[in-house]
Amino acid sequence: MLLQDYNTVVTGAARGLGAAAARRFVAEGARTVVSDMDEAGALECARSIDPTGRRAIGVRCDVSSHEDCARLVATAEEFFGAPIDVFLAHAGVGFVGRLTEVEVERIRRAIEVNVLGSVFSAQAALHSLTKSPRASLLFTSSLQGVMGRPLRSVYTASKHAIVGLVKGLALEFGPQGVRVNAIAPAATDTPHLRAMLAATTADVDEAVRNVAASMPLGWLPTPEDFADAAVFLASPAARSITGHTLLLDSGAAAGIFKREPA
Ligand SMILES: NC(=O)c1ccc[n+]([C@@H]2O[C@H](COP(=O)([O-])OP(=O)(O)OC[C@H]3O[C@@H](n4cnc5c(N)ncnc54)[C@H](O)[C@@H]3O)[C@@H](O)[C@H]2O)c1
């Protein structure tokens, strides 16, 4: 029980990596607010974690709305009857496309959700986290937060922004005891990944296998690996870690890699 009685909030948690993290937080003894712009999904995920509603509730929040983020934090504090200890700003969107061919609205939405949404989430959360003696603010960046990839330049820029936000906030709020870190996952098998791959390939299953084979370890990180990383960074085991982006990438960012024929 690494997070016994911690009060946690996860955005973008109706499914995928965020849902896995919220589930693990509760398994580690925490209470959690499962939030997502998909309200029915958030409620369903929270119910599946704790049908009694004592340790998990679902709340609608579109992180690109400043008002929604403020409301989420107020609802969480009311549910916990205490400040938030761990806030995982996970919600994010991506798209694949050559910049000269992408509609302006897709670009605007990716920046609104990934950059502004992370900033609004942090701004709202920090009002509460600064009242906790064990505060941890976590973000989800991406492998594209530390290295580029063709056809994903806007996504890459938005995820680099999170790495910068982590550094700035770690310095700004370290003196108040708030640790600020990010997790940067490589491709993980979730609806998010499959939607990105479907933009450029007909056989998504084969594409997933190829991505795995391109990694030094030969496998994709799993949603459970992501949850492990989130628990570690939120827990006292990481008490001296702040301003850090933790790669969860099966070795993909270590260098240029070519698998030797078997
Ligand atoms: N899956 C991967 O391969 C991968 C790799 C690196 C980084 N990431 C990052 O993880 C995050 C999501 O990935 P996932 O795999 O969990 O995706 P997912 O598609 O499985 O789930 C994303 C969730 O976010 C919600 N969401 C979207 N926009 C939102 C908004 N404006 N406000 C609140 N909720 C919103 C969706 O409704 C959905 O429930 C993103 O930040 C993404 O950049 C994913």
Side-chain angles (χ1 to χ4, degrees), residues 32-241:
T32 200
V33 173
V34 175
S35 83
D36 203 287
M37 65 180 290
D38 167 10
E39 185 174 23
L43 293 172
E44 182 48 41
C45 178
R47 256 195 306 273
S48 77
I49 292 172
D50 178 16
T52 71
R54 282 196 289 273
R55 304 200 74 79
I57 57 165
V59 173
R60 198 198 81 82
C61 171
D62 177 342
V63 296
S64 68
S65 155
H66 189 264
E67 292 72 28
D68 274 17
C69 291
R71 213 169 18 242
L72 168 63
V73 167
T75 307
E77 285 193 324
E78 199 181 321
F79 173 56
F80 301 138
I84 298 167
D85 301 307
V86 177
F87 191 103
L88 170 53
H90 173 73
V93 293
F95 64 82
V96 178
R98 187 172 297 278
L99 188 59
T100 44
E101 287 155 24
V102 176
E103 306 86 7
V104 169
E105 267 323 299
R106 297 201 85 178
I107 297 172
R108 197 188 304 281
R109 189 63 185 155
I111 299 295
E112 269 176 5
V113 176
N114 298 358
V115 183
L116 279 182
S118 297
V119 173
F120 291 159
S121 297
Q123 194 182 34
L126 281 161
H127 285 297
S128 186
L129 289 166
T130 46
K131 295 180 271 180
S132 160
R134 50 191 184 179
S136 175
L137 174 59
L138 295 173
F139 295 90
T140 301
S141 178
S142 164
L143 185 57
Q144 266 71 74
V146 295
M147 59 195 285
R149 186 150 181 212
L151 306 183
R152 290 160 171 84
S153 49
V154 174
Y155 181 71
T156 298
S158 73
K159 291 294 172 176
H160 272 68
I162 291 174
V163 174
L165 185 63
V166 162
K167 291 178 181 169
L169 291 178
L171 300 176
E172 212 168 313
F173 289 91
Q176 286 171 265
V178 183
R179 294 186 301 107
V180 186
N181 293 293
I183 303 167
T188 310
D189 196 353
T190 63
H192 169 88
L193 175 71
R194 286 178 172 265
M196 298 270 276
L197 292 174
T200 50
T201 180
D203 189 341
V204 173
D205 286 333
E206 196 200 356
V208 169
R209 280 195 297 276
N210 289 341
V211 179
S214 73
M215 293 175 167
L217 287 179
W219 66 74
L220 299 182
T222 64
E224 288 66 38
D225 293 336
F226 177 81
D228 280 339
V231 168
F232 166 67
L233 286 174
S235 76
R239 65 181 286 273
S240 301
I241 299 177

